[in-house]
Amino acid sequence: MEKKETIQVAVLGAGTVGTGVYKVIQNLQEDMPHKIGSNLVISKILVRDASKKREGIDQTLVTDQWNTIIEDENIDIIIELMGGIEPAKTYITEALKAGKHVVTANKDLIAEHGKELLDLAEENSCDLMFEASVAGGIPILRPLKHCLAGNHMTEVVGIVNGTTNFILSKMTDEGVGFDETLKLAQDLGYAEADPTADVEGLDAARKVAIMASIAFNSRVTFDDVYTEGITEITERDIAYAEDMGCVIKLLGVAKNTAGGIEVRVHPMLINKRHPLASVNDSFNAVFIHGDAIDDAMFYGRGAGELPTASAVVGDVIETARNIQNHCTGKIACTCYKNIPIKPMEEIESCYYVRLRVEDRAGSLASIASVFGNNHVSIEKIVQKNKREEFAEIVVITDLVKEKDIMNSLAILRTMPLVEKISNVIRVY
Ligand code: NAP
Ligand code: HSE
C-alpha cells in the first residue's frame, strides 16, 4: 500500500496546549518515521493575534488566516486547540468536509455537538479524535472505546477537573484560601480561559458527559448533567469532613441504572480509604466499574501544557498511522443505545447537612422528626460549636432519595428554630 513521505498538520491555537503540542511534536522528529512510517510536520499555526511574540515557536508558521489552512490540500490533520464553540465548530466542520482528519481537546464542543461532528467524520471517512478533552494526559476515552469494549459499563466516577482538585487539595492540606489557590492554578495553565467553568463544575460536567456517552453507548450531552461547583465549600466543611475520616472532592458521577443514566457533578465527602480520596493537586483519576473487568482506576495529570499535549499527540500519531494504513474513519460514533437520563430527584445518596439551630431542649428532636417524616433516615448527628444562642450541628443521612432530602430542607428552612442551613454536601 502506498504510504506518504510526510504528513502535514496545522495547529489551531498556540496557548497552553498548542505550545505543548508544538514542543512534543518537535521533540519526536527522529521517532516519527519509526512510529508512523513518515515525517510529521507542523506546516501552519493559527492564532488570533499573529503579531504576538511566541517564545520557542517558529514565527514563520504563524497565521491568523484560516483560509490559508483550509485551502491547503497538503494539510492532512487539523489539531484544534482554540477552545470554545465558535469558530472551532465551523473550522472542524469545514475541515471534515474537506476530508481533513481532526484531533481536538475541546470538551465544550464535543460535549454539546459530538454526535453531529462524529457523524460528519463518518460521512467523510475521516478520523475525529478527542482523547485530551477528558482528564488531560490520562488515557480514558480510547480505553473505554477499545480495551473495555467487552464490558457493560455501569459506573464511571472521576475527579476530572485539575483546577478544582488543586484548590480543594491546597485548602485541605495547607489551609490556603480559595482566591489565592485559583490564581496559582491559572498561572500554572490548569484553569480554563474563564475559570468559572472550572469552579462551577461546568468543565467537569462536559467531561462526564463525554465519558458517559462512550461508557454507556448512549448519547449524554452537557445539558443532561446536574452540576454544582466548589464555591460554597468552606474551611469548616473541610474540617468536619476531616473529623469524619473523609475529604471533600469535586466528583463527576455517571451510573447506568435500571431507572436510566444518572449523570452529575458536585462536591462529595469521600472516605479517605477510597482510592479517589488520595488523588491530590492537579491530578485527575477516573474509577470505572464494568461487568467483566470489575473495578479499575486511571490516574495521572489532568491538565497542563505537556500532559495534555501527550494525549493530543497520541491521537495525532494514531490518526497518522490510520492514514498510512488507509483505514481512517474506522470507528464511528459508538452511541447505539438510547437510554433515558434519570431525573435528579430520583437519585439516591447519603447527605451531609450543616445547620445552625436554636440551642434549646427539643431542637434536635424537631429536626430529626422533619427528616423522619420525609423518609430521611439519619446515620449520625454531630454537635460541635455552641455560639451565643445557636448551635451548629451536622447531620449525616443514610442512603436517601434526593427529593426526600430536598423536601426536608424546604421545611427546615421555614422553621424559626433553624437560623440557617449552612451547607448540604452529598457523601460518596
Ligand atoms: P489558551 O491557552 O487560552 O489558548 C487558546 C489559543 O487559541 C490561543 O493561542 C489563541 O490565540 C487561539 N485562539 C483562540 N480563539 C481563536 C480564534 N478565534 N482564531 C484563532 N485562534 C484563536 O487555551 P488552552 O488552555 O491551550 O486550551 C485549548 C483547548 O484545550 C481548550 O478547548 C481547552 O478546554 C482544552 N484543554 C486545556 C487543558 C489545559 O490544561 N489548559 C487541558 C485539556 C484540554 P492568541 O494566542 O492569539 O490569543
Ligand atoms: N481547566 C481544566 C482543568 C483543564 O482544570 O482540569 C483540563 O481540561
Side-chain angles (χ1 to χ4, degrees), residues 51-327:
S51 65
K52 195 156 89 187
K53 193 101 196 83
R54 294 166 200 271
E55 206 172 318
I57 287 185
D58 179 353
Q59 194 64 28
T60 62
L61 304 179
V62 174
T63 174
D64 55 11
Q65 298 300 308
W66 164 243
N67 65 315
T68 65
I69 295 176
I70 190 66
E71 287 165 11
D72 186 339
E73 287 180 1
N74 294 318
I75 292 176
D76 304 290
I77 305 173
I78 301 290
I79 308 174
E80 187 278 307
L81 304 169
M82 301 184 298
I85 303 293
E86 286 294 354
K89 181 167 179 259
T90 300
Y91 292 175
I92 290 178
T93 301
E94 288 177 13
L96 293 170
K97 283 185 177 165
K100 297 187 191 302
H101 309 282
V102 174
V103 172
T104 178
N106 192 331
K107 57 238 154 190
D108 305 44
L109 190 56
I110 298 298
E112 278 185 46
H113 302 283
K115 177 173 169 34
E116 171 186 346
L117 294 173
L118 281 161
D119 288 349
L120 189 60
E122 186 181 12
E123 273 168 38
N124 292 282
S125 302
C126 285
D127 279 347
L128 168 60
M129 297 198 189
F130 44 91
E131 182 63 63
S133 66
V134 177
I138 306 174
I140 182 66
L141 302 185
R142 196 168 296 119
L144 282 170
K145 266 190 188 178
H146 294 249
C147 323
L148 296 166
N151 286 263
H152 291 109
M153 305 302 303
T154 48
E155 189 169 353
V156 179
V157 180
I159 294 170
V160 287
N161 182 268
T163 302
T164 46
N165 204 37
F166 185 75
I167 293 172
L168 290 173
S169 301
K170 289 265 180 220
M171 286 173 76
T172 305
D173 299 339
E174 298 168 32
V176 185
F178 183 94
D179 293 337
E180 195 184 329
T181 322
L182 173 59
K183 169 81 178 59
L184 197 52
Q186 286 175 298
D187 292 346
L188 289 165
Y190 303 151
E192 296 300 302
D194 176 2
T196 315
D198 296 296
V199 297
E200 296 297 353
L202 312 178
D203 174 78
R206 293 178 173 117
K207 293 166 180 171
V208 172
I210 297 169
M211 284 196 293
S213 299
I214 295 173
F216 307 144
N217 300 113
S218 183
R219 179 62 51 192
V220 175
T221 62
F222 173 56
D223 296 344
D224 295 325
V225 186
Y226 171 86
T227 306
E228 284 174 25
I230 63 161
T231 50
E232 303 295 317
I233 302 295
T234 65
E235 286 158 23
R236 293 190 76 71
D237 297 312
I238 291 172
Y240 276 113
E242 169 79 28
D243 286 351
M244 293 170 190
C246 294
V247 287
I248 298 178
K249 295 286 183 192
L250 183 72
L251 293 187
V253 179
K255 291 184 185 175
N256 191 2
T257 71
I261 293 178
E262 254 180 64
V263 61
R264 50 201 165 92
V265 168
H266 45 64
M268 292 191 98
L269 270 77
I270 184 165
N271 194 292
K272 284 184 181 171
R273 286 193 302 266
H274 192 285
L276 286 172
S278 52
V279 175
N280 288 319
D281 300 321
S282 71
F283 282 92
N284 282 196
V286 181
F287 192 87
I288 56 121
H289 185 86
D291 57 354
I293 188 173
D294 196 33
D295 290 337
M297 190 161 115
F298 300 76
Y299 170 85
R301 289 230 174 252
E305 180 184 295
L306 292 178
T308 311
S310 162
V312 172
V313 176
D315 278 352
V316 171
I317 289 175
E318 179 79 5
T319 301
R321 286 175 177 151
N322 290 343
I323 292 172
Q324 295 295 47
N325 292 310
H326 302 271
C327 61

Side-chain angles (χ1 to χ4, degrees), residues 9 11 15-32 35 40-42 56-57 79 81 137 304-317:
V9 305
V11 184
T16 303
V17 186
T19 304
V21 166
Y22 183 88
K23 287 181 190 168
V24 171
I25 290 180
Q26 297 311 318
N27 214 15
L28 284 173
Q29 282 310 304
E30 285 180 16
D31 303 72
M32 281 302 179
K35 286 185 187 276
L40 188 126
V41 170
I42 297 177
I57 287 185
I79 308 174
L81 304 169
E305 180 184 295
L306 292 178
T308 311
S310 162
V312 172
V313 176
D315 278 352
V316 171
I317 289 175

